[in-house]
Amino acid sequence: MQFLRGDLSGQRDPIRPPWSLPEPDFIDKCNLCADCVPACEYELIKIGRGGYPEIDFSRGGCDFCADCVTVCKPGAIRRESDAAPWTLKATILDSCLSVNAVICRSCGEACEQEAIRFKLEVGGIARPLLDLDRCNGCGECFTVCPDNSVQIAAAETREKAA
């Protein structure tokens, strides 16, 4: 049915709530009830394309409270034991203020995982260093970036872009 929604080439796959099933299974299981939307205390879950829930990091970062899992009766969002909430990771673009010799460390200050630190280089540039092993894809760094130089994407998407 996606072809009926027009040409979506170039658009990234939506980011589903944490612990969502893989996309085809999620679409199959989700009954569009939207119970997960009001369950998110930080209002990160919104209704997206086709009426399916997706994450909007412009509203804030996810603290992985799992309230969306609790209310998902059809099981499209399902937490399996110690499973990671998703494969999302941050990327810091070359447009980053700090990379361009403007003092900014907003992303590093917001990162509770301490996945972003800064290395001072010649010329007064403090280059952000991202530790992908520590990054949990929560989106806090995206939310606070003043020039939209942080992207959050699934590991598979990041590998395709590289």
Side-chain angles (χ1 to χ4, degrees):
M1 294 272 305
Q2 191 65 40
F3 67 94
L4 295 176
R5 295 188 191 115
D7 179 17
L8 297 175
S9 60
Q11 285 191 0
R12 291 188 345 199
D13 287 337
I15 296 173
R16 301 296 179 205
W19 296 289
S20 290
L21 296 176
E23 187 68 7
D25 299 328
F26 179 84
I27 297 298
D28 186 51
K29 285 267 188 197
C30 179
N31 66 3
L32 308 177
C33 70
D35 287 347
C36 56
V37 175
C40 182
E41 176 182 352
Y42 300 107
E43 300 178 354
L44 303 181
I45 304 175
K46 67 175 189 171
I47 299 301
R49 270 191 337 238
Y52 294 98
E54 57 186 60
I55 295 291
D56 179 0
F57 285 124
S58 70
R59 300 170 182 224
C62 183
D63 67 359
F64 307 113
C65 67
D67 288 349
C68 55
V69 175
T70 304
V71 299
C72 185
K73 291 174 184 57
I77 308 170
R78 184 182 324 164
R79 188 173 185 175
E80 305 283 334
S81 60
D82 321 352
W86 47 35
T87 62
L88 300 178
K89 299 288 181 181
T91 301
I92 300 173
L93 306 176
D94 289 338
S95 58
C96 170
L97 292 175
S98 191
V99 170
N100 291 286
V102 176
I103 297 172
C104 180
R105 291 195 175 61
S106 298
C107 58
E109 291 168 359
C111 183
E112 290 182 18
Q113 300 298 311
E114 299 179 354
I116 303 171
R117 59 187 180 84
F118 291 82
K119 178 183 178 192
L120 189 59
E121 295 182 348
V122 177
I125 295 174
R127 184 162 306 278
L129 301 175
L130 180 61
D131 182 345
L132 292 176
D133 291 333
R134 295 185 81 137
C135 178
N136 64 7
C138 70
E140 288 292 345
C141 55
F142 177 91
T143 303
V144 299
C145 182
D147 71 342
N148 300 316
S149 291
V150 176
Q151 292 181 340
I152 307 293
E156 308 82 55
T157 305
R158 291 169 45 89
E159 291 167 8
K160 288 179 190 173

